[in-house]
PDB file of all heavy atoms in Angstrom:
ATOM      1  N   GLY A 205       1.327  -1.012   4.150  1.00  0.00           N
ATOM      2  CA  GLY A 205       1.184  -1.465   5.527  1.00  0.00           C
ATOM      3  C   GLY A 205       2.418  -2.149   6.085  1.00  0.00           C
ATOM      4  O   GLY A 205       2.603  -2.220   7.306  1.00  0.00           O
ATOM      5  N   SER A 206       3.281  -2.672   5.205  1.00  0.00           N
ATOM      6  CA  SER A 206       4.509  -3.325   5.658  1.00  0.00           C
ATOM      7  C   SER A 206       5.710  -2.398   5.629  1.00  0.00           C
ATOM      8  O   SER A 206       6.816  -2.788   6.016  1.00  0.00           O
ATOM      9  CB  SER A 206       4.810  -4.547   4.784  1.00  0.00           C
ATOM     10  OG  SER A 206       3.788  -5.520   4.917  1.00  0.00           O
ATOM     11  N   SER A 207       5.517  -1.183   5.146  1.00  0.00           N
ATOM     12  CA  SER A 207       6.643  -0.252   4.982  1.00  0.00           C
ATOM     13  C   SER A 207       7.220   0.187   6.325  1.00  0.00           C
ATOM     14  O   SER A 207       6.518   0.259   7.334  1.00  0.00           O
ATOM     15  CB  SER A 207       6.190   0.983   4.198  1.00  0.00           C
ATOM     16  OG  SER A 207       5.686   0.628   2.935  1.00  0.00           O
ATOM     17  N   ARG A 208       8.518   0.493   6.303  1.00  0.00           N
ATOM     18  CA  ARG A 208       9.187   1.006   7.504  1.00  0.00           C
ATOM     19  C   ARG A 208      10.170   2.096   7.107  1.00  0.00           C
ATOM     20  O   ARG A 208      10.761   2.055   6.035  1.00  0.00           O
ATOM     21  CB  ARG A 208       9.960  -0.110   8.218  1.00  0.00           C
ATOM     22  CG  ARG A 208       9.099  -1.184   8.855  1.00  0.00           C
ATOM     23  CD  ARG A 208       8.440  -0.724  10.131  1.00  0.00           C
ATOM     24  NE  ARG A 208       7.592  -1.753  10.705  1.00  0.00           N
ATOM     25  CZ  ARG A 208       8.010  -2.626  11.631  1.00  0.00           C
ATOM     26  NH1 ARG A 208       9.254  -2.585  12.056  1.00  0.00           N
ATOM     27  NH2 ARG A 208       7.188  -3.515  12.118  1.00  0.00           N
ATOM     28  N   ARG A 209      10.352   3.042   8.014  1.00  0.00           N
ATOM     29  CA  ARG A 209      11.396   4.052   7.836  1.00  0.00           C
ATOM     30  C   ARG A 209      12.713   3.448   8.324  1.00  0.00           C
ATOM     31  O   ARG A 209      12.862   3.174   9.504  1.00  0.00           O
ATOM     32  CB  ARG A 209      11.038   5.329   8.587  1.00  0.00           C
ATOM     33  CG  ARG A 209       9.933   6.108   7.886  1.00  0.00           C
ATOM     34  CD  ARG A 209       9.792   7.484   8.472  1.00  0.00           C
ATOM     35  NE  ARG A 209       9.118   7.457   9.754  1.00  0.00           N
ATOM     36  CZ  ARG A 209       8.938   8.526  10.526  1.00  0.00           C
ATOM     37  NH1 ARG A 209       9.397   9.684  10.145  1.00  0.00           N
ATOM     38  NH2 ARG A 209       8.296   8.419  11.663  1.00  0.00           N
ATOM     39  N   TYR A 210      13.635   3.305   7.418  1.00  0.00           N
ATOM     40  CA  TYR A 210      14.898   2.613   7.719  1.00  0.00           C
ATOM     41  C   TYR A 210      15.709   3.302   8.803  1.00  0.00           C
ATOM     42  O   TYR A 210      16.259   2.667   9.689  1.00  0.00           O
ATOM     43  CB  TYR A 210      15.710   2.472   6.442  1.00  0.00           C
ATOM     44  CG  TYR A 210      17.133   2.015   6.661  1.00  0.00           C
ATOM     45  CD1 TYR A 210      17.385   0.707   7.051  1.00  0.00           C
ATOM     46  CD2 TYR A 210      18.207   2.878   6.486  1.00  0.00           C
ATOM     47  CE1 TYR A 210      18.676   0.276   7.267  1.00  0.00           C
ATOM     48  CE2 TYR A 210      19.494   2.455   6.679  1.00  0.00           C
ATOM     49  CZ  TYR A 210      19.728   1.156   7.081  1.00  0.00           C
ATOM     50  OH  TYR A 210      21.015   0.736   7.288  1.00  0.00           O
ATOM     51  N   ASP A 211      15.786   4.634   8.742  1.00  0.00           N
ATOM     52  CA  ASP A 211      16.658   5.340   9.681  1.00  0.00           C
ATOM     53  C   ASP A 211      16.131   5.315  11.099  1.00  0.00           C
ATOM     54  O   ASP A 211      16.893   5.363  12.054  1.00  0.00           O
ATOM     55  CB  ASP A 211      16.852   6.794   9.231  1.00  0.00           C
ATOM     56  CG  ASP A 211      15.552   7.557   9.118  1.00  0.00           C
ATOM     57  OD1 ASP A 211      14.505   6.898   8.904  1.00  0.00           O
ATOM     58  OD2 ASP A 211      15.554   8.792   9.270  1.00  0.00           O
ATOM     59  N   GLN A 212      14.793   5.237  11.262  1.00  0.00           N
ATOM     60  CA  GLN A 212      14.215   5.278  12.598  1.00  0.00           C
ATOM     61  C   GLN A 212      14.048   3.901  13.222  1.00  0.00           C
ATOM     62  O   GLN A 212      13.975   3.782  14.427  1.00  0.00           O
ATOM     63  CB  GLN A 212      12.857   5.989  12.578  1.00  0.00           C
ATOM     64  CG  GLN A 212      12.975   7.475  12.344  1.00  0.00           C
ATOM     65  CD  GLN A 212      11.689   8.191  12.677  1.00  0.00           C
ATOM     66  OE1 GLN A 212      10.686   7.585  13.028  1.00  0.00           O
ATOM     67  NE2 GLN A 212      11.705   9.501  12.574  1.00  0.00           N
ATOM     68  N   ASP A 213      13.952   2.875  12.387  1.00  0.00           N
ATOM     69  CA  ASP A 213      13.693   1.542  12.912  1.00  0.00           C
ATOM     70  C   ASP A 213      14.507   0.511  12.144  1.00  0.00           C
ATOM     71  O   ASP A 213      13.978  -0.339  11.461  1.00  0.00           O
ATOM     72  CB  ASP A 213      12.196   1.229  12.777  1.00  0.00           C
ATOM     73  CG  ASP A 213      11.770   0.076  13.665  1.00  0.00           C
ATOM     74  OD1 ASP A 213      12.648  -0.524  14.306  1.00  0.00           O
ATOM     75  OD2 ASP A 213      10.570  -0.228  13.702  1.00  0.00           O
TER      76      ASP A 213
END
Side-chain angles (χ1 to χ4, degrees):
S206 296
S207 301
R208 292 285 178 93
R209 286 192 284 176
Y210 169 71
D211 58 334
Q212 289 195 357
D213 197 355

